[in-house]
Amino acid sequence: MSNAIVVSDLHLGDGDPDRDQWRADQQAAWERLLRAAAPGGELGAGPVEMIVNGDSFDFLEAAPTLDDRTHTDADAGLAKVERIIAAHSQWFAAMRAFLAAPDRSVTFLIGNHDLELAFPAVRSRIRAAAMGSAGHSAGGAGRVRFCLAQAYRPLPDVVIEHGCQVDPPNRIPSLWTGPDASAIPADLEADDVSPVAAPSWRDLPWGSRYYYDVLLPILRRFPYLEALLPSLPQSGVAGLLCRYVPDLVVAGVPRARALRDDPPDDPPDDPPDAPPADRARPPAAGDDPATLYAATLPDLVATQAMLLRRAGLTSPDPADAARADAYTRAIHTALAGGDELALLRAVFSLPRAPSGALPSLDAAAAALMVERDPAARVALIGHTHVEGLYTVPRPDGEHVTFINTGTWVSRLAAPDPATIDARTARWLRDPRAGPTPLTSAAIFAYAILRGRPGAPTVASLHAVGDPAGPA
């Protein structure tokens, strides 16, 4: 019997308290999961492969940041990985203990936050830190492997990929090409290779450039914006910023426009995107919040349209567009009225798709994976930070078990509009002023794959601490 445990989006950073999202709670849950996967543990019967499906390490958040934020290189990757290893010695110690047992291995896939795993020298350093003295002993102890393809097929009917290639802003350029960019266990890199075997630099995804140039100043003021579950649409974020930090909006829109004018993978003969109708009227210092919001929205719409078009995707469903339009109109009305609580209630009255619907990005990933790999009966991604298990129909009448393993970073439940009061408003306005009134929504999710020769793989989704998971 073959057993695999799949997690994703751990986001180990460099220890900076303002950026690193791997804290004591995550570490404790990780150690519980690894103990459960050890011989004698409730998940440890037979060989166990731990599969970390991208964004294992957060190179995007870690220092140092290159002056040229359009690419990353091997030297910067090595400097960052040393900081990550130093900040998370307990994590690497737990990995060494896990790998010291017989028939244990770990396989890393590449995500948009750990693109630096494309550099052989970075992989070599991580392998050394995770193995220690375990080595490549008989029985498989100490194996640290890397999947360098876009997708990984650990079992004949299972396909795994991070998911960023389906997300237009975060698609990694020029790393994976062709419809067959997938690997089986025999294809994995299991030993150090010469650093000259791969390019020493890589272009960053458009979303990473946007993060550095536009989002980073915002997240330093309001770190909760990337922790909310469900996440706020960009039009909701813009509503908050126009009220709380209009200077960041005035400074950020021109930078976003510059990035939109130089999109990723821009074909030389492709005509430029049409500018928004009021391109000549950018947001300006002195605008009141409602005017500032109205001047910002066309740029948000133009950026989204550019990304969809470049990805070959269709426009949003009319029902989704109608919900989004009602949402932005409610925010604009609240900004014009000047009532902070009314604004917050409008911002957190999120436009919701029908109950039970597969999230749009996950649906796109599921459709692509089913089309690309007809043998798949189980498909897994991460990336979107929203865990879930779904049944997806196949053209042949069969079904695929589709699993998103979510994330291990800290998350906060978005407030119910009906409960937003002055205390909540104070914290949303200044999150460093005191403890949050929001409820933690962190879930330490993992999938289990159990395969037997000649039988379909059985897949299930769990969380550390659940009755069915490690105690």
Side-chain angles (χ1 to χ4, degrees):
M1 183 170 182
S2 176
N3 298 296
I5 298 172
V6 185
V7 298
S8 64
D9 297 82
L10 305 183
H11 287 273
L12 274 77
D14 67 354
D16 186 304
D18 291 330
R19 293 193 304 262
D20 198 337
Q21 301 187 70
W22 190 267
R23 311 264 171 91
D25 287 350
Q26 283 83 353
Q27 182 63 31
W30 182 248
E31 292 179 8
R32 290 200 298 272
L33 179 59
L34 291 183
R35 285 195 298 270
E42 56 262 48
L43 307 178
V48 177
E49 178 184 11
M50 177 69 70
I51 301 171
V52 190
N53 184 20
D55 288 359
S56 319
F57 311 102
D58 206 322
F59 288 86
L60 189 61
E61 293 275 9
T65 300
L66 295 178
D67 292 335
D68 179 358
R69 294 175 173 179
T70 65
H71 77 282
T72 184
D73 61 39
D75 289 341
L78 279 172
K80 292 185 178 198
V81 81
E82 291 297 345
R83 291 174 60 92
I84 292 170
I85 291 170
H88 296 292
S89 58
Q90 287 182 284
W91 189 88
F92 285 95
M95 288 303 305
R96 291 193 293 273
F98 170 74
L99 292 168
D103 296 317
R104 297 299 182 268
S105 62
V106 60
T107 302
F108 294 102
L109 279 74
I110 298 175
N112 53 301
H113 279 250
D114 52 13
L115 170 57
E116 284 77 359
L117 294 183
F119 303 131
V122 172
R123 297 195 298 271
S124 176
R125 184 67 186 95
I126 290 172
R127 179 180 287 112
M131 289 197 313
S133 60
H136 296 275
S137 62
R143 290 186 300 167
V144 176
R145 309 182 299 182
F146 294 88
C147 177
L148 305 184
Q150 177 178 329
Y152 176 41
R153 288 182 286 126
L155 295 162
D157 59 347
V158 176
V159 60
I160 303 172
E161 65 176 88
H162 181 61
C164 59
Q165 294 305 90
V166 186
D167 183 11
N170 294 303
R171 176 187 293 171
I172 302 174
S174 307
L175 182 58
W176 301 301
T177 57
D180 298 321
S182 62
I184 61 175
D187 299 327
L188 298 177
E189 182 199 85
D191 297 289
D192 291 340
V193 296
S194 168
V196 300
S200 61
W201 62 273
R202 290 284 180 181
D203 287 330
L204 288 173
W206 188 91
S208 297
R209 305 179 194 188
Y210 186 86
Y211 172 85
Y212 281 134
D213 287 357
V214 180
L215 292 182
L216 190 55
I218 295 168
L219 294 175
R220 284 175 174 163
R221 291 285 299 273
F222 306 104
Y224 63 79
L225 288 174
E226 63 178 351
L228 291 172
L229 187 69
S231 59
L232 285 180
Q234 288 298 303
S235 54
V237 172
L240 288 179
L241 300 181
C242 287
R243 167 78 187 218
Y244 292 151
V245 282
D247 54 314
L248 291 185
V249 178
V250 172
V253 168
R255 291 196 291 267
R257 286 183 175 181
L259 287 167
R260 193 173 68 244
D261 289 342
D262 182 24
D265 301 328
D266 194 4
D269 57 350
D270 200 33
D273 293 283
D278 63 346
R279 182 73 178 246
R281 172 58 173 92
D287 283 347
D288 64 79
T291 301
L292 188 63
Y293 188 65
T296 301
L297 282 177
D299 280 280
L300 293 178
V301 172
T303 297
Q304 183 64 25
M306 179 272 290
L307 292 169
L308 289 173
R309 185 173 70 83
R310 302 274 169 180
L313 301 177
T314 59
S315 299
D317 179 90
D320 292 338
R323 285 190 290 268
D325 181 62
Y327 179 65
T328 57
R329 284 189 282 106
I331 292 173
H332 184 266
T333 298
L335 284 168
D339 185 327
E340 182 182 13
L341 292 183
L343 169 64
L344 294 175
R345 289 164 186 154
V347 165
F348 287 101
S349 296
L350 303 174
R352 300 184 186 277
S355 177
L358 188 64
S360 58
L361 195 62
D362 286 10
L368 178 65
M369 295 166 82
V370 168
E371 176 184 354
R372 191 177 61 214
D373 198 332
R377 292 297 182 269
V378 178
L380 298 97
I381 67 165
H383 182 61
T384 63
H385 290 196
V386 182
E387 63 286 332
L389 186 152
Y390 307 89
T391 300
V392 177
R394 297 175 53 89
D396 60 6
E398 298 293 330
H399 290 81
V400 171
T401 299
F402 180 83
I403 298 177
N404 188 319
T405 46
T407 180
W408 282 49
V409 302
S410 298
R411 296 184 300 182
L412 296 170
D416 182 336
T419 67
I420 293 176
D421 55 15
R423 176 172 174 256
T424 305
R426 281 194 300 272
W427 186 83
L428 292 169
R429 191 187 320 128
D430 184 9
R432 301 188 189 282
T436 179
L438 306 186
T439 302
S440 172
I443 295 177
F444 307 127
Y446 63 96
I448 299 177
L449 307 176
R450 301 192 186 277
R452 294 181 183 274
T457 297
V458 177
S460 53
L461 182 65
H462 307 271
V464 176
D466 283 353

